[in-house]
Amino acid sequence: MIGGSVQISGQELTSSEVRDICDSLKADSIKLLSLRGCQLDDRDFHKLMKAFGKSHSIQQLNLNLGVVSDHKRTAMLADAMYQNRSLETLLLHGTPLGDTGLGLLTKSLCTHPSLVCLDLGDCAITDAGMHFLTSLLPPDGAKRGLRELTLSANTDITDMGWSHLFCAMSASSQLRTLNVDYNNIGDYVAGLFSVVMAGNRSLQTVDFEGCGISDKGASVILDTLESFPNSLRDLVLAGNKINDNLQQSIERCLQEEEGDNLSYLMPRPNTDQQDWIPQSNRPILQERAHTSPVSVKGAPVLF
């Protein structure tokens, strides 16, 4: 453990190692616990969740890539979330949650007082699961909600599911970052997003990389940017079939809106790049991740 963090990747944890982690959690000496892609038996996972639930120091928990391998473990995590009060970031990318697992988690997540960042990328969520997620985006004036939500590579979500999420976003000014890259968004959903963008005053960063958006959807986004004030500063549109002139117009519009110099970014940075690649397409998309697609950036918005 260095600086209040435990970071282990792709290993099979022994009971002794799990016990040491649990002791550190109980001693409130861990702020970041990352067990990305690790294996441990159910008994040790239960011990880990009990210790996590009692910890007052932990702020970030990374269980990416199947550590929560079934609904039994999902229920254990949900029970621990009811007890814990310090966690701010929960990463479950590549977890086989499905709608049933998300339903098990939602009640504990929406009552948690500190959680602001949630990664549910590549978790087999469908339209039914999107109804659970709206409880994590409370209307203005209600309790604190999510500031960052990642739903990358949940390709079974249809227009109906995205519509439901965007309706919730239009009633809430909590969310700052939305990552929905490698989903079936298309032009229609891009148009729905534009409606949200016109009325939302908090959304700063959106990742639409590889979402099937064409010139038609991008034109609607551009029209909204030109017609309505907004807080958007980063818009990732790499991997879509949008012509260069339209892309540049969107870039200029954001530059003018925020009054800052135009800059070019790689897709949204993260410390676990392969966790953002859909499990079913990793060999293809991993190559794409090493290219230099263009995104859009303006100046920061201060709140």
Side-chain angles (χ1 to χ4, degrees):
M1 184 177 70
I2 300 176
S5 70
V6 173
Q7 301 185 60
I8 308 172
S9 180
Q11 297 185 25
E12 185 172 351
L13 301 181
T14 66
S15 294
S16 177
E17 290 171 326
V18 172
R19 183 171 58 252
D20 289 343
I21 294 172
C22 290
D23 289 344
S24 296
L25 285 169
K26 293 174 183 176
D28 291 330
S29 58
I30 294 180
K31 290 186 177 181
L32 185 157
L33 175 59
S34 176
L35 301 178
R36 174 184 171 275
C38 289
Q39 301 176 36
L40 63 164
D41 63 33
D42 286 346
R43 178 186 236 177
D44 285 337
F45 184 83
H46 185 239
K47 292 178 181 178
L48 185 68
M49 290 299 98
K50 287 184 67 176
F52 158 63
K54 296 177 181 178
S55 174
H56 297 94
S57 64
I58 188 167
Q59 296 176 359
Q60 179 171 323
L61 178 62
N62 183 341
L63 299 176
N64 285 349
L65 302 184
V67 180
V68 186
S69 55
D70 53 33
H71 291 159
K72 180 180 179 181
R73 291 193 177 189
T74 302
M76 293 179 192
L77 174 59
D79 288 342
M81 289 294 295
Y82 276 119
Q83 299 178 56
N84 180 272
R85 287 292 176 266
S86 63
L87 194 71
E88 297 177 359
T89 298
L90 177 62
L91 308 179
L92 296 173
H93 203 108
T95 298
L97 279 178
D99 299 328
T100 300
L102 182 57
L104 290 172
L105 271 179
T106 300
K107 289 184 179 180
S108 60
L109 296 180
C110 70
T111 58
H112 196 283
S114 303
L115 188 70
V116 292
C117 178
L118 179 64
D119 182 350
L120 295 175
D122 201 7
C123 285
I125 297 169
T126 74
D127 291 352
M130 299 297 267
H131 287 263
F132 295 125
L133 284 176
T134 56
S135 62
L136 303 177
L137 300 172
D140 290 342
K143 64 181 182 60
R144 188 183 191 186
L146 291 179
R147 299 296 180 90
E148 179 172 351
L149 175 61
T150 296
L151 292 169
S152 313
N154 285 288
T155 55
D156 288 330
I157 300 173
T158 71
D159 293 355
M160 183 65 71
W162 294 119
S163 299
H164 195 75
L165 177 67
F166 289 160
C167 284
M169 288 173 55
S170 67
S172 174
S173 63
Q174 306 281 341
L175 202 64
R176 301 290 189 267
T177 301
L178 177 66
N179 303 305
V180 293
D181 45 316
Y182 300 114
N183 277 297
N184 298 318
I185 299 294
D187 293 330
Y188 175 73
V189 175
L192 294 177
F193 164 74
S194 296
V195 175
V196 173
M197 187 171 59
N200 189 286
R201 293 294 178 269
S202 66
L203 198 61
Q204 298 177 357
T205 302
V206 177
D207 190 345
F208 275 145
E209 182 177 359
C211 286
I213 300 172
S214 72
D215 289 350
K216 183 178 180 180
S219 295
V220 177
I221 292 175
L222 175 60
D223 181 69
T224 302
L225 289 171
E226 292 176 335
S227 303
F228 300 94
N230 64 87
S231 58
L232 197 66
R233 72 180 190 186
D234 296 340
L235 179 59
V236 181
L237 293 171
N240 293 289
K241 294 181 179 180
I242 302 172
N243 73 65
D244 291 342
N245 290 335
L246 185 54
Q247 176 81 32
Q248 291 168 9
S249 296
I250 293 174
E251 292 167 355
R252 284 195 299 269
C253 190
L254 279 182
Q255 179 187 11
E256 294 169 0
E257 179 70 27
E258 303 301 341
D260 194 15
N261 293 326
L262 181 66
S263 64
Y264 296 88
L265 301 177
M266 290 291 290
R268 182 181 45 76
N270 71 85
T271 57
D272 239 346
Q273 179 66 35
Q274 63 259 56
D275 291 354
W276 300 90
I277 300 172
Q279 290 182 2
S280 59
N281 293 319
R282 275 190 185 128
I284 297 174
L285 298 184
Q286 205 155 17
E287 294 179 7
R288 189 179 303 165
H290 291 295
T291 62
S292 299
V294 175
S295 64
V296 182
K297 179 177 173 62
V301 177
L302 301 179
F303 289 88

